Amino acid sequence: MASSKTLPVLLIVDDEKATREGLRQAFEEDFDIYTAPDVKSALNILDGIEVDLLLTDLRLGSESGMKLLEKAQTLTPRPACIMMTAYGSVDNAVEAMRRGAYDYVMKPLDIDRLSVILKRAIKDTKADPTPQPDPNTPSSQNGDIASRIVGESPALTQILKKARQVAASRATVLIEGESGTGKELIARAIHQWSARKDGPLVTVHCAALSPQLLESELFGHERGAFTGAIERRIGRFEEASGGTLFLDEIGEIDASTQVKLLRALGERIIQRVGGNQEIPVDVRVVAATNRNLEAMMQEGKFREDLFYRLSVVRLYLPPLRERKEDIPQLVKVFLRDCARENGKPTPRLADGVIDILMRYNWPGNIRELRMAIEHGVVLAEGGVLRTQDLPERIVAGASGLLQYLENGSKETVPLGKEESQTASSNPFSLEEQERRSIAQALRACGGNRTQAAEKLGISRRTLYRKLKEYGWDLDKR
């Protein structure tokens, strides 16, 4: 039973004694802890006491921690289950989340991050109504940034390790990556993990301003410096004094502003627009871009000396398609947050949904994934989010149909089916003409299969059969 302190009960299951004892010592102040070395012992504990959290290794000798996960799903109240494994893979993550795991972590364990996950799981199981922040869309510099960065993939883990290392320094940082990968969130994490965390974090979205306005935004201006400058205004460099200045989309700034920014970084001195006074600034700069700055240097569009000033340390955030093992965890968080924001109960995922999400390539990255989940949450009925609740584009893209629609490729391998690797070699064959007609109809209807069938003059059942024949098997659930 729970201790007199009424701490939440945590059951730790691992066949390595050192791991069990290490985790006990790490969490004994926050939890009433039980440990077990194998499945049988853990089942006895689950049958005898009420457990709030189950933290279990996936491989327990010759047995699987999945047995404990299945047992936990039958209990009332149901404990939140976190799976641990040194054998991290996409398949394991999908299977654990599909069977009801709350989260999934890889060994060697990051104790700080695991602590965040355990505490968050307790909050969620107690149905805490307090809204939680979106883990990949920063809206405030307050709170624990680490708890908002979701994922355990090796790529993300390495980025976070490097970010923590650079945070302790004063070095400028260049964060590179596609739109929607979470660059601003990493910038906020660097600030929060630094000695400047009590100072301001000031963000400038460089692409949103004209060259003249951007210069004034960065360095401020004196009264009368230009039409409309009716009073002195301090710039973002001065505003960020003692803290961090985050320059988003740095690749969009013009040549004149690049020169002034270079001086500010090198000499730590600025001048307001229209002024002569040299103003010292104490600012740590973090920049981000989705552009290839090295290619821009070759084209003469970005100064080489500024590039090296900005990129003392470079962090590359991989696109979501390169860290798909993080998708189940992201989906878990987005389901909860989107349901709360839209005033709906958190739906469960029907069979096939995770498979679709794992197969899609996510050109819009984490931002697109969140949009897709919110779309599904809004349309879900009966507490279940089904394949048809996802945006049609996502389902079509996951099937391999989208590539065919967009580039007419005859080398697409839909859903990994090698037998469907090539279309007819004759572009005038009836089969190829049929494929193109169906593809064009689906494109014209935005992927809506019912409308496409009507446009083609065939039944929905016939369209499904044809889609299966071509390897474009869009799940009917």
Side-chain angles (χ1 to χ4, degrees), residues 119-235:
K119 291 175 182 177
R120 189 171 66 201
I122 284 293
K123 266 188 180 179
D124 289 347
T125 54
K126 294 184 180 303
D128 184 356
T130 305
Q132 299 296 310
D134 176 349
N136 289 282
T137 306
S139 58
S140 169
Q141 70 190 65
N142 299 319
D144 181 12
I145 291 293
S147 69
R148 296 163 58 193
I149 301 175
V150 177
E152 296 288 340
S153 63
L156 182 61
T157 300
Q158 184 62 32
I159 285 293
L160 294 179
K161 179 181 178 181
K162 196 171 181 180
R164 282 188 181 275
Q165 290 174 323
V166 72
S169 72
R170 187 173 178 167
T172 54
V173 182
L174 179 63
I175 306 173
E176 301 169 286
E178 297 177 8
S179 294
T181 50
K183 296 187 292 295
E184 186 170 349
L185 186 59
I186 296 297
R188 290 178 179 274
I190 290 172
H191 172 74
Q192 189 178 82
W193 293 333
S194 75
R196 295 172 172 262
K197 63 182 179 181
D198 295 326
L201 171 61
V202 177
T203 298
V204 179
H205 296 285
C206 300
L209 302 168
S210 67
Q212 183 184 41
L213 289 177
L214 178 59
E215 186 178 345
S216 173
E217 187 77 8
L218 290 173
F219 307 115
H221 61 253
E222 298 290 349
R223 179 179 179 181
F226 50 82
T227 302
I230 59 175
E231 60 183 0
R232 171 185 286 179
R233 181 182 186 278
I234 69 167

Side-chain angles (χ1 to χ4, degrees), residues 220-252:
H221 61 253
E222 298 290 349
R223 179 179 179 181
F226 50 82
T227 302
I230 59 175
E231 60 183 0
R232 171 185 286 179
R233 181 182 186 278
I234 69 167
R236 298 295 189 170
F237 265 93
E238 290 180 81
E239 187 180 332
S241 182
T244 304
L245 178 63
F246 175 52
L247 303 178
D248 197 12
E249 299 184 84
I250 192 68
E252 308 301 325

Side-chain angles (χ1 to χ4, degrees), residues 70-356:
E70 291 171 0
K71 171 67 174 180
Q73 304 309 300
T74 69
L75 300 175
T76 304
R78 186 169 60 186
C81 304
I82 295 93
M83 305 297 290
M84 304 180 290
T85 182
Y87 305 91
S89 72
V90 171
D91 290 342
N92 288 341
V94 171
E95 188 63 21
M97 301 300 277
R98 178 184 288 148
R99 295 195 188 187
Y102 177 86
D103 216 329
Y104 182 93
V105 295
M106 296 184 205
K107 293 180 176 180
L109 300 172
D110 180 333
I111 295 299
D112 290 338
R113 173 150 180 76
L114 181 55
S115 176
V116 169
I117 291 172
L118 292 173
K119 291 175 182 177
R120 189 171 66 201
I122 284 293
K123 266 188 180 179
D124 289 347
T125 54
K126 294 184 180 303
D128 184 356
T130 305
Q132 299 296 310
D134 176 349
N136 289 282
T137 306
S139 58
S140 169
Q141 70 190 65
N142 299 319
D144 181 12
I145 291 293
S147 69
R148 296 163 58 193
I149 301 175
V150 177
E152 296 288 340
S153 63
L156 182 61
T157 300
Q158 184 62 32
I159 285 293
L160 294 179
K161 179 181 178 181
K162 196 171 181 180
R164 282 188 181 275
Q165 290 174 323
V166 72
S169 72
R170 187 173 178 167
T172 54
V173 182
L174 179 63
I175 306 173
E176 301 169 286
E178 297 177 8
S179 294
T181 50
K183 296 187 292 295
E184 186 170 349
L185 186 59
I186 296 297
R188 290 178 179 274
I190 290 172
H191 172 74
Q192 189 178 82
W193 293 333
S194 75
R196 295 172 172 262
K197 63 182 179 181
D198 295 326
L201 171 61
V202 177
T203 298
V204 179
H205 296 285
C206 300
L209 302 168
S210 67
Q212 183 184 41
L213 289 177
L214 178 59
E215 186 178 345
S216 173
E217 187 77 8
L218 290 173
F219 307 115
H221 61 253
E222 298 290 349
R223 179 179 179 181
F226 50 82
T227 302
I230 59 175
E231 60 183 0
R232 171 185 286 179
R233 181 182 186 278
I234 69 167
R236 298 295 189 170
F237 265 93
E238 290 180 81
E239 187 180 332
S241 182
T244 304
L245 178 63
F246 175 52
L247 303 178
D248 197 12
E249 299 184 84
I250 192 68
E252 308 301 325
I253 64 177
D254 70 310
S256 174
T257 307
Q258 288 181 38
V259 172
K260 295 180 179 180
L261 180 57
L262 178 63
R263 185 191 182 204
L265 292 174
E267 301 178 16
R268 304 191 186 279
I269 291 174
I270 64 165
Q271 285 184 331
R272 299 191 188 104
V273 177
N276 296 316
Q277 180 185 1
E278 293 188 337
I279 304 169
V281 289
D282 175 23
V283 173
R284 198 267 185 82
V285 172
V286 177
T289 182
N290 58 13
R291 304 279 297 273
N292 185 334
L293 296 188
E294 289 178 292
M296 291 178 67
M297 285 193 300
Q298 297 297 322
E299 298 168 1
K301 296 178 180 178
F302 201 87
R303 294 182 63 98
E304 184 175 359
D305 44 7
L306 178 58
F307 173 78
Y308 291 118
R309 283 285 186 188
L310 288 169
S311 59
V312 174
V313 176
R314 296 171 69 178
L315 299 177
Y316 171 72
L317 278 182
L320 187 55
R321 62 182 173 274
E322 294 179 8
R323 43 175 284 222
K324 284 191 174 183
E325 58 265 54
D326 290 334
I327 288 177
Q329 294 181 31
L330 288 163
V331 168
K332 189 91 171 182
V333 174
F334 290 156
L335 279 172
R336 180 196 66 207
D337 291 351
C338 291
R340 183 179 289 122
E341 291 169 8
N342 288 280
K344 299 190 69 173
T346 302
R348 68 176 180 84
L349 297 181
D351 290 344
V353 173
I354 281 287
D355 290 335
I356 289 291

Side-chain angles (χ1 to χ4, degrees), residues 2-3 5-10 30-33 52-53 122 126:
S3 70
K5 295 182 179 179
T6 64
L7 294 173
V9 178
L10 168 63
D30 297 313
F31 299 95
D32 186 6
I33 295 177
D52 298 296
L53 294 174
I122 284 293
K126 294 184 180 303

